[in-house]
Amino acid sequence: KKGPTQVPTTISTKLTVADFGCGDAKIAKHMHEQKQPVIVHSFDLVSVNKYVVACDISHTPLEDEVCDVVVICLALMGTNFVDFLVEANRVLKFGGDLLVAEVTSRIPSTKNFLKFLYFAGFDLAEKLEETKMFVSFHLIKKWPSKLDSLEKFDVDEVLKPCIYKKR
């Protein structure tokens, strides 16, 4: 089955990308193999190869506002997904791009999800794609995260818990 699109295949300018919940670091491997002028920081709970730094993506080792792009592809699974978005805001430059892809069934209301991302400091640039299985968004960092005032949100109304099914 085809998953959501992660990033463009060619980049014309030097960029710094953080891939939160990268799995086996497909973005980093692809950019390296294609000799693209991109610095990719790949983070996941477990390092499965030389490209991946093992860490909790709510606390990456990156400095503040160093990334042009943050990718969160099927990685908002933790119960602390709010912290993942606060961290994405911290490492992303103002005007930087946040690419989020998630399982469609986990988002009960696109309107509530986008409102939540707005409080996280991001404004919708475009909805990239929506299929029966996946939805992806391109957002722009506009301001610091305001998620410290979470009483405005019931997180279960923003993103349903990730439930794994035996197959």
Side-chain angles (χ1 to χ4, degrees):
K1 293 180 182 180
K2 184 181 176 198
T5 305
Q6 290 192 29
V7 293
T9 56
T10 59
I11 309 285
S12 59
T13 60
K14 188 164 187 160
L15 294 174
T16 299
V17 176
D19 186 1
F20 284 15
C22 68
D24 63 357
K26 285 185 168 110
I27 296 172
K29 284 193 273 188
H30 177 79
M31 294 301 169
H32 177 76
E33 290 166 0
Q34 298 299 314
K35 300 185 182 352
Q36 293 294 320
V38 177
I39 298 166
V40 181
H41 300 282
S42 301
F43 302 105
D44 211 309
L45 278 174
V46 177
S47 179
V48 296
N49 60 41
K50 68 180 182 178
Y51 297 103
V52 182
V53 173
C55 75
D56 177 343
I57 59 174
S58 64
H59 301 288
T60 68
L62 296 172
E63 299 292 323
D64 293 353
E65 298 179 20
V66 294
C67 295
D68 301 291
V69 179
V70 172
V71 176
I72 303 177
C73 183
L74 305 177
L76 294 175
M77 296 180 227
T79 55
N80 61 335
F81 73 87
V82 173
D83 299 329
F84 302 167
L85 293 166
V86 170
E87 182 69 357
N89 185 290
R90 184 188 71 78
V91 303
L92 195 58
K93 296 175 183 175
F94 281 92
D97 300 296
L98 174 65
L99 302 174
V100 175
E102 192 48 72
V103 177
T104 303
S105 62
R106 291 198 60 219
I107 302 173
S109 164
T110 300
K111 181 180 174 183
N112 286 348
F113 187 64
L114 291 174
K115 185 176 179 184
F116 179 79
L117 290 170
Y118 183 86
F119 273 86
F122 304 103
D123 200 16
L124 181 67
E126 65 180 313
K127 191 177 196 179
L128 295 175
E129 70 178 311
E130 184 169 6
T131 66
K132 183 179 176 186
M133 296 293 294
F134 304 104
V135 62
S136 57
F137 303 94
H138 172 203
L139 301 114
I140 306 294
K141 178 181 174 179
K142 295 289 188 173
W143 44 82
S145 173
K146 301 172 188 169
L147 289 179
D148 54 345
S149 56
L150 265 182
E151 64 274 1
K152 296 176 184 175
F153 295 97
D154 175 356
V155 291
D156 291 334
E157 294 296 318
V158 173
L159 200 57
K160 290 181 183 176
C162 188
I163 299 171
Y164 294 96
K165 295 179 183 176
K166 280 189 169 184
R167 299 197 189 269

